Amino acid sequence: MYEGMLFALCLLTLVLFQSTASCELRPVLAQVPKRLPAGYVIAEGKEELTLKGCAAKPVAFTSSDPDFTVNTDGTIITVRGLEITTKQFSVLVQDENRSDWKVDIILSCKDEKSSSVAHKRTKRRWRPLPFSIIENDSPPFPKELEMISSDSSVNYTVYYQISGQGVTTDPKELFILNKNTGMLSVTRAVDREQYPQFNFIARVFDVSGRETDAFLPITVNVEDKNDNAPEFIGSRFFTVEERCRAGTVIGQVNATDKDQAKTPHTLIKFTLHNATDMFSIDPFTGVITAKTNTLDREAQDKVYVEIEIRDMGGASSGLFSRGTVVITLTDVNDNPPTFKEKLYKAKVQENQENVLVTRIPVEDKDLVNTSNWKALFEVTKGNESGNFRMETDPKTNEGLLYVIKGLDFEKTPLVKLEITARNEVPLVGTDTKWLSVPLELSVGDEDEGPEFNPAILYLKVKENVANGTIIGTYKALDPENKNSNGIKYYKMTDPGNWITVVENTGELKTANTIDRESPLVHKDMYNITIRAVDESKKTGKGMVIIQIEDVNDNMPVILDPDLIMCSKDDMLSSVLVEAVDLDQRPYSTPFIFELGADHDGKWKMKDATESSVVLEQAVALPTGLYSVPLLVKDLQGFGKEQTVNVRVCTCEREENGVGICGARSASSSLGSLGILALVLSGLLLLLLSLLLIFICSTKRDKLYISDDTGTGGMLLKSNTEAPGEEVKDGALLMIPGTEVVDGSLQSGLMESKNVTSASGRYGQQFFQGGGVYNTTTQEFGTEKFYSSGRYDNNLYGNNTLQKLSNRSALDTWKTNGRYLDRKLAYFGDKEEGRYADDLLKTYGHEGMGSPAGSVGCCSNLGEQESVDFLNTLGPKFKPLADVCYTTNRTGN
């Protein structure tokens, strides 16, 4: 073992300390036992090594065979136990100059008898040792390489043969052997990049053809020659942000060389040939970095960098290639928007709203249509009242200044603004700030309408104040002369018609009761709007907000006076009574609950809260309905006695701990009156149905009458005559010969139309209980009868309407009598065939023609009456039309 370690030390001392320029390495041969245990040291005497000129210091060792390892001191040791006959591997040695050298290790098996002497030298049977050839060697060929010989040639006359790669397999016949002398030669040049190593075997035979020695493995290594220039691989397109920090890694340029790895032939050096002020490159890794922090996309967005790659570590004798790397500078927001002018001026008329005033162009050197280029504008000074808004034109990137609230020339004839432009993203890589520019906006004068001051007037009024009470004055001023002369005031909105405004003075008076509890009041506020009109008919608008103060005008009211009390066994039951008051405190809660003066002592109260009390039986009561008087008063003692109807019933079940009365008790609350009401409703419905059938099925008969002149006349009996008996008094006002014109009533008159008809015409539209009815006109002969008017119960008292209606009813029926007399006389002048004639008549325009056809005096006599028009009635009348049609066909 000691001899093995000494051998290894000698080996490394002689091999690894040679200079890279003149080292000549020879393989190491060693004989070892057939079975090698783990940890066995492989070594042989140092006199077998032939090392010349090596002086560099070794720094790393690597074994090509995983069964062996090399310590840092150069000792070669087996990693695991193994059995061999012959073994060949190599050790890669790297010196301090980063040069790599390979030492071949050849192991052969020795006799077992001599295995006890582990490292005793034995005579080799073959020679020479493995050797190398130079890649792409120059002619002439063949060239002698080495002579091989076997020790058996001493005892026998022998000849040699070789076979394997480069001899009998591709590339065939590269190596030839003089079979008599054993001289090995190469026949042509070899490319190491294609065949870095050849392995074949040599055999020896005597003249009889018997093999006299074991075959010899031969390895021929092809020594690399620097015959390949380095080549670029991978992408050569990189991007980096402008204004990046110096030293920012941009990308890595990759290159390769087909020559032998880890030799000077493949040691590539990278060199920049331009843009050296902007970028730098690592000479051996190819990593490109930014050399400065001033890269500017606006000056040059793409940089074309020429790079040279040269092997032999950049030595002048090395082969090289050149290529171009494209570095794209991406944009950052390093340029703020700049204004083209130092001062902008614009003009706008006063009171204009939502109008474009001016466009403000800007310039930005950053990349167009990106967040770094798009501008945002803001009025940073002069917009304290919110009169202006700024937007950006997405196409031109201009600032658009809008007036959104009208300006007042009398207050500010010249508005000075400051406009600031910024981008959508913050500025980076620069100390420049956002820029601003002044803008002067001239306001044009116009003749304006009156203005209320203040625009919103707040008034406090107690509810229920007397009608006619002045609650305030709301005046407007002419902005031109600053006075209110000649201005008139009118209401625009007043939902409850609670306020009147004096036209000439602007005084506000109560017209109706102001009720804080009205649904028109929101949060104790009631709004009205007032319009002011000056002499030039220009108008202004103002708002009055009335804050209504509460008064104690509402008493507490029991929410549910009909209560059900569920009685269980002999327990005294109770029920909750709740009350509510529409007023606010201190005119509402807490309520005071007391039993009425006439209570019978069967009830008592407990557990009173602000708005409720528990009503409890004082004694056990049988089931039935009980009336309990309760006095409920608010905090001010304002209240009245109210009656609570308590129905005591027997508990049938419980839900959530609350007793529930049975269905029988609940249904019994309907009572006899309810059942009677249901029966009477059914009978009434049946009666109406019979009446409808009777009316629709009545057959029309012709009635002949005689007038005073002896001539006959004919009237058609009809069930659609109108007006009928229901027109008795003020429901329909008809005043012949005149029109109602009385104060403000005149505004409700509707213009009558002349209608010429042989048979007359009625056409009225009215709303009972207050509203509008239309006018009618009748004309027979030379007399005309007009009826028109308007009434409104909200504006006029019932006395006036009663007087008008009495007189109207009397005059109307007189008119009707005169109309009938003239009609009978008119028909008496014609012969009997007159009744079948249909004369042309003139009517007032009433829209499109009726599908029912003519309504002349004789249209019902000339042909069979058609009821097809019933099919055109609306869906509401369709069922009734079907009934009438069926009845009419049955009657005929």
Side-chain angles (χ1 to χ4, degrees):
M1 180 65 68
Y2 177 80
E3 294 178 356
M5 294 179 63
L6 182 61
F7 163 76
L9 183 60
C10 294
L11 169 66
L12 295 177
T13 301
L14 296 175
V15 172
L16 303 178
F17 286 83
Q18 304 299 315
S19 75
T20 58
S22 58
C23 271
E24 182 180 354
L25 303 180
R26 288 293 183 178
V28 174
L29 300 177
Q31 283 189 332
V32 295
K34 183 176 182 180
R35 295 179 179 84
L36 296 178
Y40 185 85
V41 177
I42 308 299
E44 191 173 3
K46 61 182 179 180
E47 66 276 10
E48 295 295 325
L49 299 177
T50 306
L51 304 174
K52 299 179 180 179
C54 289
K57 183 178 179 180
V59 295
F61 318 94
T62 305
S63 172
S64 64
D65 193 324
D67 293 335
F68 301 91
T69 184
V70 183
N71 291 340
T72 57
D73 59 358
T75 304
I76 304 173
I77 304 173
T78 58
V79 176
R80 61 184 181 85
L82 68 156
E83 183 176 338
I84 64 172
T85 55
T86 58
K87 186 74 171 178
Q88 181 175 345
F89 62 96
S90 62
V91 174
L92 184 66
V93 182
Q94 187 177 40
D95 61 22
E96 59 186 358
N97 295 327
R98 299 178 63 180
S99 298
D100 295 330
W101 304 98
K102 185 172 67 173
V103 178
D104 292 324
I105 309 297
I106 302 173
L107 304 179
S108 61
C109 183
K110 62 184 177 180
D111 295 338
E112 294 292 337
K113 293 181 180 181
S114 59
S115 61
S116 59
V117 183
H119 302 290
K120 183 178 179 181
R121 178 180 175 185
T122 60
K123 186 177 181 180
R124 292 193 301 269
R125 297 169 297 162
W126 287 86
R127 61 182 62 190
L129 299 174
F131 52 88
S132 301
I133 61 174
I134 299 175
E135 174 189 17
N136 293 325
D137 200 3
S138 57
F141 292 103
K143 285 188 176 182
E144 293 182 350
L145 300 178
E146 190 69 68
M147 181 178 290
I148 62 175
S149 129
S150 171
D151 291 345
S152 63
S153 62
V154 177
N155 301 320
Y156 302 97
T157 300
V158 297
Y159 65 93
Y160 301 93
Q161 286 184 353
I162 57 175
S163 62
Q165 185 184 15
V167 181
T168 56
T169 61
D170 289 335
K172 294 180 180 181
E173 299 180 354
L174 177 64
F175 298 101
I176 59 176
L177 180 69
N178 187 320
K179 67 177 182 178
N180 295 321
T181 63
M183 178 59 71
L184 183 65
S185 303
V186 61
T187 61
R188 58 184 181 273
V190 180
D191 186 4
R192 189 205 65 84
E193 284 70 41
Q194 186 177 6
Y195 299 105
Q197 187 181 72
F198 296 94
N199 293 285
F200 53 92
I201 61 175
R203 297 179 184 273
V204 58
F205 302 92
D206 61 11
V207 293
S208 64
R210 180 175 63 88
E211 193 169 4
T212 61
D213 204 344
F215 68 87
L216 175 66
I218 298 177
T219 299
V220 178
N221 296 317
V222 181
E223 295 182 0
D224 185 39
K225 186 177 182 181
N226 192 20
D227 57 347
N228 291 283
E231 299 175 353
F232 290 97
I233 60 174
S235 175
R236 282 180 283 166
F237 294 88
F238 305 103
T239 60
V240 66
E241 284 187 350
E242 63 173 334
R243 305 285 181 183
C244 65
R245 293 182 299 176
T248 300
V249 175
I250 299 173
Q252 183 176 15
V253 180
N254 295 309
T256 186
D257 196 314
K258 294 179 181 180
D259 292 324
Q260 185 174 355
K262 299 182 180 181
T263 66
H265 301 163
T266 56
L267 183 59
I268 302 173
K269 183 178 181 180
F270 300 84
T271 306
L272 294 182
H273 277 240
N274 67 320
T276 55
D277 59 330
M278 304 169 65
F279 308 103
S280 61
I281 189 170
D282 187 280
F284 293 103
T285 64
V287 174
I288 301 177
T289 56
K291 195 173 182 179
T292 177
N293 61 352
T294 59
L295 297 178
D296 190 2
R297 187 203 66 84
E298 287 71 37
Q300 185 177 5
D301 61 343
K302 288 185 178 181
V303 183
Y304 297 89
V305 182
E306 185 179 355
I307 296 179
E308 178 187 280
I309 50 177
R310 185 183 292 265
D311 59 18
M312 298 300 292
S316 58
S317 61
L319 303 178
F320 67 91
S321 299
R322 289 181 180 177
T324 301
V325 173
V326 180
I327 301 176
T328 301
L329 302 182
T330 59
D331 188 40
V332 297
N333 192 21
D334 58 340
N335 294 283
T338 57
F339 296 95
K340 296 182 177 181
E341 303 289 341
K342 294 183 178 180
L343 173 65
Y344 289 90
K345 294 184 179 182
K347 185 175 182 180
V348 66
Q349 291 298 111
E350 65 174 333
N351 300 323
Q352 288 188 341
E353 297 181 352
N354 298 314
V355 295
L356 176 63
V357 176
T358 186
R359 305 174 74 96
I360 303 176
V362 293
E363 292 180 347
D364 197 315
K365 296 180 181 179
D366 291 318
L367 190 61
V368 177
N369 292 327
T370 64
S371 299
N372 304 327
W373 176 81
K374 295 178 180 178
L376 300 176
F377 296 87
E378 181 183 3
V379 182
T380 50
K381 291 183 181 179
N383 194 28
E384 290 76 11
S385 300
N387 296 87
F388 304 96
R389 181 185 80 247
M390 291 218 64
E391 296 180 359
T392 303
D393 189 324
K395 295 182 178 179
T396 64
N397 209 31
E398 294 177 318
L400 308 179
L401 178 63
Y402 289 88
V403 174
I404 58 175
K405 292 170 58 177
L407 300 174
D408 190 349
F409 171 82
E410 287 70 28
K411 294 180 180 179
T412 52
L414 180 66
V415 181
K416 294 185 178 181
L417 304 176
E418 182 184 79
I419 310 299
T420 301
R422 64 185 74 238
N423 295 123
E424 293 182 353
V425 295
L427 286 171
V428 295
T430 177
D431 296 332
T432 305
K433 297 181 180 180
W434 304 121
L435 303 179
S436 300
V437 67
L439 185 146
E440 293 181 355
L441 180 62
S442 301
V443 182
D445 187 21
E446 287 189 351
D447 185 14
E448 301 172 279
E451 295 179 354
F452 285 96
N453 189 16
I456 301 177
L457 176 65
Y458 291 88
L459 298 175
K460 288 187 177 181
V461 179
K462 288 184 177 291
E463 63 174 332
N464 301 327
V465 297
N467 292 351
T469 301
I470 298 176
I471 63 173
T473 301
Y474 196 24
K475 286 191 174 184
L477 297 177
D478 190 327
E480 311 299 331
N481 51 35
K482 303 300 181 181
N483 62 59
S484 56
N485 297 335
I487 297 177
K488 298 184 181 297
Y489 305 90
Y490 305 93
K491 277 194 311 181
M492 293 180 63
T493 62
D494 183 4
N497 198 24
W498 291 351
I499 306 297
T500 59
V501 57
V502 178
E503 181 177 317
N504 295 321
T505 64
E507 288 183 335
L508 305 176
K509 297 182 180 180
T510 57
N512 286 297
T513 301
I514 298 177
D515 185 8
R516 190 194 66 83
E517 292 74 32
S518 169
L520 302 175
V521 178
H522 180 65
K523 294 183 179 180
D524 299 340
M525 300 289 187
Y526 180 76
N527 300 344
I528 65 173
T529 53
I530 308 296
R531 182 183 297 275
V533 182
D534 61 13
E535 294 177 345
S536 62
K537 304 304 180 183
K538 294 187 176 296
T539 63
K541 183 173 65 174
M543 176 180 289
V544 179
I545 298 179
I546 302 174
Q547 184 175 357
I548 303 175
E549 298 179 352
D550 191 24
V551 298
N552 196 10
D553 59 341
N554 292 281
M555 288 183 275
V557 178
I558 295 176
L559 283 175
D560 188 3
D562 298 316
L563 303 173
I564 297 177
M565 181 179 292
C566 182
S567 178
K568 186 175 182 182
D569 299 332
D570 294 333
M571 297 177 59
L572 299 179
S573 302
S574 61
V575 68
L576 182 67
V577 180
E578 294 180 296
V580 66
D581 193 327
L582 297 178
D583 293 325
Q584 294 179 331
R585 289 192 177 191
Y587 304 121
S588 58
T589 57
F591 298 142
I592 302 171
F593 294 91
E594 298 176 358
L595 288 171
D598 298 334
H599 75 92
D600 52 8
K602 297 179 181 180
W603 305 89
K604 61 180 180 179
M605 293 185 296
K606 67 175 184 178
D607 300 336
T609 65
E610 286 192 349
S611 60
S612 65
V613 70
V614 176
L615 182 63
E616 186 181 36
Q617 297 176 0
V619 297
L621 298 175
T623 58
L625 184 62
Y626 298 87
S627 296
V628 183
L630 290 180
L631 177 61
V632 187
K633 297 183 289 184
D634 61 20
L635 186 60
Q636 305 300 325
F638 184 45
K640 67 177 180 178
E641 187 175 288
Q642 305 174 52
T643 300
V644 176
N645 299 315
V646 181
R647 180 173 297 281
V648 179
C649 59
T650 302
C651 291
E652 295 291 338
R653 66 186 187 280
E654 287 189 3
E655 291 183 4
N656 299 324
V658 179
I660 303 298
C661 292
R664 180 177 302 177
S665 299
S667 62
S668 63
S669 62
L670 183 60
S672 58
L673 292 178
I675 296 175
L676 180 60
L678 289 176
V679 173
L680 291 178
S681 299
L683 293 176
L684 180 60
L685 182 60
L686 179 61
L687 180 61
L688 289 176
S689 300
L690 293 175
L691 181 61
L692 181 62
I693 294 174
F694 173 75
I695 292 174
C696 294
S697 61
T698 302
K699 186 176 181 180
R700 299 180 180 179
D701 298 327
K702 296 180 181 178
L703 299 179
Y704 294 89
I705 61 174
S706 298
D707 57 4
D708 295 340
T709 60
T711 59
M714 184 271 291
L715 291 177
L716 179 63
K717 184 179 179 182
S718 174
N719 58 355
T720 58
E721 295 176 335
E725 295 179 355
E726 67 274 15
V727 184
K728 294 182 178 180
D729 44 23
L732 177 64
L733 299 181
M734 300 178 66
I735 305 175
T738 184
E739 293 185 357
V740 179
V741 181
D742 185 9
S744 62
L745 183 61
Q746 183 178 3
S747 64
L749 295 179
M750 301 185 68
E751 182 180 355
S752 303
K753 292 183 178 180
N754 294 335
V755 182
T756 304
S757 174
S759 58
R761 174 177 172 267
Y762 272 92
Q764 56 267 18
Q765 181 184 36
F766 58 92
F767 298 87
Q768 293 186 352
V772 180
Y773 60 87
N774 295 337
T775 63
T776 62
T777 303
Q778 303 86 32
E779 178 181 357
F780 297 102
T782 59
E783 293 189 5
K784 297 182 180 179
F785 301 93
Y786 297 89
S787 175
S788 63
R790 178 182 186 276
Y791 70 94
D792 189 339
N793 285 343
N794 292 330
L795 300 179
Y796 304 100
N798 293 331
N799 293 334
T800 302
L801 287 176
Q802 185 65 33
K803 293 178 182 179
L804 288 173
S805 63
N806 291 339
R807 187 181 66 176
S808 175
L810 180 60
D811 293 342
T812 297
W813 291 116
K814 289 180 179 179
T815 300
N816 290 343
R818 293 159 60 186
Y819 158 71
L820 291 175
D821 291 340
R822 291 181 178 276
K823 184 174 178 68
L824 291 175
Y826 174 73
F827 281 117
D829 294 337
K830 301 295 182 180
E831 68 277 4
E832 193 68 15
R834 165 70 178 81
Y835 304 129
D837 295 335
D838 193 3
L839 302 180
L840 180 63
K841 290 165 282 296
T842 303
Y843 294 89
H845 179 67
E846 297 180 297
M848 298 299 294
S850 169
S854 174
V855 293
C857 65
C858 302
S859 60
N860 290 331
L861 301 177
E863 58 183 354
Q864 183 66 31
E865 181 180 6
S866 174
V867 291
D868 292 338
F869 69 91
L870 296 176
N871 295 327
T872 64
L873 299 176
K876 295 182 179 180
F877 298 95
K878 193 67 169 61
L880 179 60
D882 292 340
V883 173
C884 294
Y885 180 72
T886 304
T887 306
N888 190 27
R889 289 176 60 88
T890 304
N892 291 338

